[in-house]
Amino acid sequence: MSHRKTLLAASIIAGLCLSGSVFAADTAQAPQSGPAAAAQDNAQTAAEKAKAKELGTVTVVGIRDSEAESLNLKKAADSHVEVITAEDIGKLPAKNVADTLQRLPGVNISSSSASEGGFDENDRVSLRGTNPSMTQTLVNGHTVGTGDWFVLSQVQTVGRSVSYSLLPAEVVSEVVVHKSSEAKLQEGGSAGTVDIITRKPLEFAQQFTAQGSIGGVYSDLPGDTKPQFNGLVNWKTDDNKFGVMVQAFYEKRSLQRDGQEIVGGYNQIGAGSAIATAHPDLAGVYYPNLIGQTLFTQTRTRKGGTVDLEWKPLDNLTLNLNSFYSDLKADNYNRNYMLWSSQFVGGGAGLQPGYVVKNNVLTNATFAPQPGSTTPYGVYDMISRPGASSSSKYTTLDAEWRANDHLTFTGQIGTTTGKGNSDHQDVSELGFGAGAGASWSMRGTGQPTNWSIGGDNTTPSGIIPSAGWIFGDQDIHVKDKEDFYQADGEWAVDSSPIFLNTLDFGVRYSDHTRENKTDIGQGPTGDWTNPANYPKSWSNYPSGFNGDLGVNGPGPAWYYSPGALAAFDSQFANRNPVTRFNWQNIYKVNEKDTAAYVQANFSGDRWSGNVGMRYVYTKEDINYNSSAVSQYTTAGPITGSAFGDYYVNTYNHSYDKFLPSVNFKFNLTDDLLARFNASQTMTRPDYSALAGSYSLDDLTHTGSGGNPQLKPLISTNFEGALEWYFAPRGLVSAGAYSMQLSDYINFGNQNIQFKDQQASNTAGHDVFATYQVSVPTNVDGHVKGVELNYIQPIGDNFGVQTNYTYASGSAENGAPLQGTSKNTYNISGYFENQMFNARVSYTYRSSFYAGVSRTDTFYQAGIGNLAASFGYNITSWMSLTLDAMNLNNPKLKYYTVNPAYGKQPYAFYVNGRQYYLNLRFKI
């Protein structure tokens, strides 16, 4: 770590020396000298930055104007940023902010946050080959509380990334992606920061503005159309002293995802098993378990809005009150019709000649039916989640006071809350296909596995309830809340011998809590194994399911309706809040963060930059439960839960960090500039990594859990870039970056002392033992890469944009970094005239490490996405737009990697295409 600090210090000193050299050259060449020259340079730079700021308030019309504005803002910035404006968003194929950002260099998106697999809407954003938790998302410079509708993202994989499905593109004025750090930026994004800027009432050109759109979205897999609405009204006084803006949105759509999952992973055939005795060549060989045809359906309803009041009671004082709310209803139903290989493979009954073993995996096998057998060859999970939802809201009060010509103060107080809810899970797990016989034929990681199971798969005639279960967690209500206070100042310098332009300084305090207080893990009760008690009616998978997925499989499989499942579980599911209290999913992480910074901004003839330092102090209180006593246990054992006795643990600690940064920009010519920056940035560990509960096995003295002692990730960053603005809408740029990661979060084994429950009961007194526990740990790592960007106007009406990002990263010992795609590229082309506009975009990212599934690492394979948007101006105030998403119907592919059997398929999904048709109005 010390050498990284040395490198960073050297870089900052070099930056200051370079500034000094440029200053010396300025002095030698300038016709004036001393304070007069400095005043002239500072006045010139201030004017340029004022012009850039003014550009953000100009109303732009059309793709071409918005692209020119974005490039002007990028060029004027001292740090490395990417900018997208509101009009640009309106003309991109984009339904939320993540859709827009994915077309920028160095940006990756994903459509899931846990192990639920990808969907048709982008949900998470990451920068420069890192995982989403390392990218900070702000709204108007402040944190935004977030929620997740999927249960695993609520209680198991609980990260710090923001769900972009709650942020419709229509609320945005501009988006600024900060790829390099500055001291005045809030800490949290070690890879970078995305700042979403919303509209303000006094920025509108007209005294009264009304905008709206109404239309619908057609999704081709579910085959239906749902309504979409967005409306905005803004009014301000003639003297531009007071304004009110109100915006509302209501967006509903249907989803269907056809998939195949191998959720049981790969089991090993034991040397002493019957099948190995009969076929010795199969001893130690692996086989796929729980190959399943997965049908997921969902209706998403996103609604909310924003209200903004802006008031200038004095010429030098501006107040702004802003409130935002977004709610996503996400009722969903997941069905997984699976081949239960582990029930019959070991016995080997009916294995036919001609089976195939490749890479130590039984890839092709056929098992003949076994009349009279009671062994279930299949198992079926039906999981309905009514009441699944997420929400995000914030309220802020901002003030800007220009005390005099040299000194300006700004302040912000606010609160933000995100919620994720899983009210109910109506579940039925059923065995089926007794002695039915089965087969499978694996086709590598590029295509789903063909498989079959005997018997009737279109009706529930062969169900075996006694081989199933009723599971699922209820009453989960996760809250993500922060209260924050911030004060900043800017001192403008008329003249300075060191070319100091302005001095920024400020403080920030926040109190952030992420917690889940309740969880009821249901189980079966009553006469639930009696087939006569199960529903009498059913439906079937869509007839095109197997064809959509490109697989030969059973079916179309049957399923019970969500209403039938709810009725059955209401009678036969035990949801007692005491005995079924699932303490394993209860946690609370509270962080009180205090920060202060100072940043000096310099400028001279053809150059500018800044040097700053941010100090951060974090006080952390972590609460979680465990099945055994640890050094942090504060209460227990607490009895009465069917999930076992448990102990309450509390870990309190604090840490502080100094985060330096330097940014330097030099205009080699009027159109060609060079950038250099160096910084240290910080990301705090994911909440689930800090507060995950321990699950221990007293027989093997092994287990898994969280690690409250994790340190924050510190990244030491270096970057250099060249940018050539060869035309008002043209850019060629190239840059290289390096991120040295200290205390990156990865998974490893630790030896920890716990109370051995079984040994203690036997001995009659406390017995402690050392357990080898798989926990998140701090390791070192690195990411380095190259970004290329080319934007070319073609005549007055055409243009193309393409960019490429190369990223290479690994943790120590060569372990992969989550989210690192080596190759990412985007290409888009557009046409626009007074009446018509069109844009087509294609985005591709190569494979990347997505996380851990059981004991295996799993990856998402490379994927490309084609989208298009079209617009026609009917009148000066009315237009018709069509956005087409996922036009190439991409197939999401996941695979696992294990030293024992190499790379094997894990999951495949198709989500279909979506078409948004809207009529837009503007007054």
Side-chain angles (χ1 to χ4, degrees):
M1 182 63 189
S2 60
H3 72 283
R4 291 174 185 158
K5 289 182 177 178
T6 304
L7 282 171
L8 182 65
S11 298
I12 293 176
I13 293 171
L16 291 173
C17 292
L18 182 59
S19 300
S21 299
V22 175
F23 159 65
D26 288 342
T27 304
Q29 297 172 8
Q32 302 181 51
S33 61
Q40 178 179 333
D41 290 330
N42 290 342
Q44 180 181 356
T45 302
E48 290 174 352
K49 293 188 175 181
K51 181 181 178 181
K53 184 175 181 181
E54 183 184 351
L55 283 169
T57 67
V58 173
T59 301
V60 291
V61 179
I63 299 173
R64 294 164 294 173
D65 287 346
S66 62
E67 199 161 72
E69 180 197 8
S70 295
L71 290 181
N72 280 328
L73 293 171
K74 174 182 174 67
K75 183 179 181 181
D78 287 340
S79 60
H80 189 181
V81 301
E82 307 287 348
V83 183
I84 299 178
T85 64
E87 181 70 17
D88 208 10
I89 293 171
K91 296 294 173 63
L92 284 173
K95 299 314 295 179
N96 69 33
V97 178
D99 291 331
T100 299
L101 293 175
Q102 70 172 324
R103 310 188 201 287
L104 294 174
V107 177
N108 289 127
I109 54 86
S110 58
S111 55
S112 62
S113 61
S115 58
E116 70 270 30
F119 294 100
D120 62 355
E121 182 177 15
N122 296 322
D123 188 59
R124 290 304 198 271
V125 170
S126 58
L127 298 178
R128 293 184 161 176
T130 61
N131 69 63
S133 287
M134 292 173 61
T135 296
Q136 178 173 242
T137 297
L138 306 175
V139 176
N140 297 324
H142 63 76
T143 308
V144 56
T146 191
D148 292 287
W149 60 264
F150 184 58
V151 62
L152 293 185
S153 300
Q154 295 168 353
V155 296
Q156 289 190 18
T157 307
V158 187
R160 292 183 181 266
S161 58
V162 168
S163 174
Y164 279 70
S165 61
L166 292 166
L167 301 172
E170 289 81 2
V171 304
V172 175
S173 173
E174 67 180 30
V175 182
V176 182
V177 179
H178 296 270
K179 292 182 176 179
S180 66
S181 185
E182 295 181 283
K184 63 183 179 182
L185 279 177
Q186 182 182 329
E187 76 285 348
S190 54
T193 297
V194 177
D195 195 5
I196 301 168
I197 311 299
T198 62
R199 296 177 172 95
K200 297 291 185 288
L202 299 185
E203 294 176 352
F204 283 78
Q206 305 299 321
Q207 183 179 359
F208 178 80
T209 302
Q211 301 175 359
S213 67
I214 186 169
V217 53
Y218 173 78
S219 303
D220 67 353
L221 277 189
D224 67 6
T225 302
K226 298 295 184 184
Q228 305 266 300
F229 167 78
N230 185 283
L232 177 150
V233 175
N234 188 83
W235 174 85
K236 64 179 185 178
T237 58
D238 284 337
D239 57 4
N240 207 42
K241 297 290 188 182
F242 179 77
V244 179
M245 186 197 72
V246 178
Q247 186 172 7
F249 54 87
Y250 177 90
E251 301 167 344
K252 190 173 185 178
R253 64 190 188 91
S254 298
L255 286 80
Q256 178 181 315
R257 187 180 72 179
D258 300 343
Q260 181 184 96
E261 299 172 346
I262 305 179
V263 295
Y266 293 83
N267 292 1
Q268 189 175 29
I269 296 174
S273 64
I275 192 172
T277 301
H279 305 275
D281 59 316
L282 293 180
V285 169
Y286 290 81
Y287 63 91
N289 186 34
L290 300 179
I291 306 171
Q293 306 297 81
T294 306
L295 173 63
F296 178 93
T297 53
Q298 184 179 49
T299 299
R300 292 188 185 181
T301 304
R302 180 169 62 192
K303 58 184 178 181
T306 182
V307 177
D308 196 295
L309 283 75
E310 193 172 14
W311 180 35
K312 297 183 67 173
L314 302 171
D315 289 340
N316 62 345
L317 177 63
T318 302
L319 303 176
N320 184 262
L321 179 65
N322 179 227
S323 188
F324 168 84
Y325 177 74
S326 179
D327 177 78
L328 179 66
K329 302 297 183 187
D331 294 3
N332 61 89
Y333 187 14
N334 196 47
R335 288 133 285 191
N336 199 354
Y337 197 78
M338 294 173 281
L339 182 65
W340 205 353
S341 313
S342 61
Q343 291 291 303
F344 60 86
V345 168
L351 177 63
Q352 301 297 293
Y355 58 82
V356 178
V357 176
K358 291 182 180 179
N359 297 325
N360 205 31
V361 174
L362 183 60
T363 59
N364 297 66
T366 299
F367 292 81
Q370 301 297 302
S373 171
T374 59
T375 300
Y377 276 46
V379 64
Y380 191 11
D381 287 351
M382 290 170 277
I383 308 171
S384 174
R385 302 183 182 98
S389 67
S390 60
S391 64
S392 178
K393 64 180 180 180
Y394 67 80
T395 299
T396 60
L397 177 62
D398 294 80
E400 180 180 353
W401 176 45
R402 193 174 67 255
N404 55 46
D405 290 341
H406 300 280
L407 191 59
T408 300
F409 293 101
T410 60
Q412 183 183 73
I413 61 173
T415 182
T416 181
T417 302
K419 293 182 179 179
N421 300 298
S422 289
D423 293 341
H424 296 287
Q425 291 198 76
D426 296 316
V427 177
S428 175
E429 183 176 76
L430 296 166
F432 68 92
S439 70
W440 69 82
S441 175
M442 298 176 65
R443 299 186 291 168
T445 59
Q447 300 179 79
T449 295
N450 292 330
W451 67 283
S452 68
I453 185 170
D456 182 7
N457 297 291
T458 62
T459 74
S461 58
I463 64 171
I464 311 171
S466 59
W469 194 248
I470 297 175
F471 61 86
D473 293 298
Q474 329 284 309
D475 198 28
I476 297 172
H477 304 285
V478 177
K479 180 183 288 188
D480 183 45
K481 178 178 173 58
E482 178 173 300
D483 297 323
F484 51 90
Y485 313 87
Q486 182 167 333
D488 303 276
E490 180 186 81
W491 175 46
V493 181
D494 282 338
S495 62
S496 168
I498 59 171
F499 281 64
L500 178 66
N501 186 33
T502 59
L503 186 69
D504 298 329
F505 52 92
V507 294
R508 188 179 193 274
Y509 174 80
S510 65
D511 187 341
H512 195 117
T513 298
R514 184 76 170 245
E515 64 179 338
N516 180 48
K517 295 180 178 180
T518 59
D519 189 311
I520 300 172
Q522 69 184 4
T525 189
D527 193 17
W528 69 278
T529 61
N530 186 350
N533 291 326
Y534 280 76
K536 307 303 183 205
S537 61
W538 64 88
S539 299
N540 293 90
Y541 277 28
S543 59
F545 178 91
N546 288 334
D548 292 336
L549 196 57
V551 66
N552 292 325
W558 62 273
Y559 62 87
Y560 297 133
S561 70
L565 277 182
F568 180 82
D569 277 14
S570 67
Q571 185 175 359
F572 296 108
N574 180 0
R575 295 168 173 169
N576 185 294
V578 177
T579 61
R580 302 302 303 182
F581 176 63
N582 188 359
W583 49 265
Q584 299 172 89
N585 290 333
I586 307 303
Y587 63 90
K588 180 179 180 181
V589 178
N590 175 256
E591 292 172 342
K592 294 179 173 63
D593 303 317
T594 304
Y597 74 90
V598 61
Q599 176 175 312
N601 303 293
F602 301 92
S603 63
D605 183 22
R606 312 190 73 84
W607 67 275
S608 61
N610 58 66
V611 176
M613 179 70 73
R614 188 175 186 92
Y615 171 75
V616 181
Y617 173 80
T618 298
K619 182 178 182 298
E620 212 163 46
D621 298 322
I622 303 168
N623 297 274
Y624 61 98
N625 298 323
S626 65
S627 60
V629 175
S630 76
Q631 56 185 313
Y632 310 120
T633 295
T634 57
I638 300 174
T639 62
S641 170
F643 294 91
D645 299 344
Y646 67 96
Y647 297 83
V648 178
N649 301 272
T650 301
Y651 179 66
N652 304 317
H653 74 133
S654 61
Y655 53 85
D656 60 349
K657 299 290 179 184
F658 284 96
L659 303 174
S661 63
V662 57
N663 292 274
F664 182 80
K665 180 181 71 172
F666 184 77
N667 293 290
L668 300 170
T669 70
D670 289 344
D671 300 320
L672 179 65
L673 62 86
R675 298 185 186 275
F676 170 79
N677 62 73
S679 65
Q680 278 194 330
T681 50
M682 181 179 81
T683 293
R684 299 177 180 90
D686 284 349
Y687 301 109
S688 56
L690 290 169
S693 63
Y694 284 102
S695 175
L696 303 174
D697 187 327
D698 291 335
L699 294 177
T700 62
H701 287 169
T702 60
S704 62
N707 182 3
Q709 298 185 67
L710 288 172
K711 299 175 183 178
L713 185 159
I714 302 296
S715 180
T716 303
N717 314 301
F718 302 94
E719 181 187 14
L722 283 173
E723 299 170 3
W724 178 31
Y725 297 84
F726 62 88
R729 294 183 286 117
L731 169 67
V732 174
S733 66
Y737 64 89
S738 171
M739 301 169 60
Q740 297 297 319
L741 308 177
S742 175
D743 294 322
Y744 179 82
I745 311 301
N746 212 335
F747 282 86
N749 294 327
Q750 286 189 352
N751 294 322
I752 304 176
Q753 287 281 324
F754 286 102
K755 179 181 176 180
D756 187 324
Q757 298 280 348
Q758 184 171 336
S760 297
N761 291 336
T762 301
H765 59 80
D766 289 346
V767 176
F768 287 84
T770 299
Y771 289 70
Q772 187 179 61
V773 183
S774 176
V775 296
T777 58
N778 289 119
V779 299
D780 288 341
H782 72 274
V783 182
K784 58 184 178 180
V786 174
E787 294 176 357
L788 306 175
N789 193 14
Y790 175 48
I791 301 173
Q792 174 69 63
I794 303 174
D796 292 334
N797 303 108
F798 292 89
V800 295
Q801 177 177 352
T802 183
N803 57 69
Y804 168 77
T805 302
Y806 170 82
S808 176
S810 65
E812 60 187 30
N813 301 322
L817 295 183
Q818 187 175 356
T820 304
S821 290
K822 277 198 172 182
N823 300 291
T824 302
Y825 63 84
N826 303 273
I827 184 167
S828 63
Y830 69 83
F831 169 83
E832 180 183 48
N833 61 23
Q834 294 296 320
M835 297 296 296
F836 179 75
N837 65 80
R839 191 163 194 159
V840 179
S841 300
Y842 181 79
T843 300
Y844 175 84
R845 69 177 300 187
S846 61
S847 63
F848 62 94
Y849 169 53
V852 177
S853 174
R854 301 179 183 269
T855 58
D856 296 343
T857 58
F858 79 99
Y859 294 75
Q860 181 174 335
I863 185 170
N865 184 286
L866 180 66
S869 63
F870 305 91
Y872 177 72
N873 296 323
I874 301 172
T875 68
S876 61
W877 54 271
M878 181 189 301
S879 63
L880 186 67
T881 64
L882 173 65
D883 294 314
M885 315 294 288
N886 303 304
L887 275 174
N888 56 329
N889 193 21
K891 182 181 293 183
L892 285 78
K893 305 171 185 178
Y894 299 81
Y895 58 89
T896 63
V897 176
N898 187 291
Y901 47 77
K903 185 166 72 172
Q904 299 298 335
Y906 176 77
F908 302 85
Y909 305 105
V910 290
N911 290 281
R913 305 170 182 86
Q914 299 78 41
Y915 304 91
Y916 296 81
L917 183 65
N918 285 279
L919 193 62
R920 299 177 182 268
F921 307 87
K922 185 174 182 179
I923 301 175

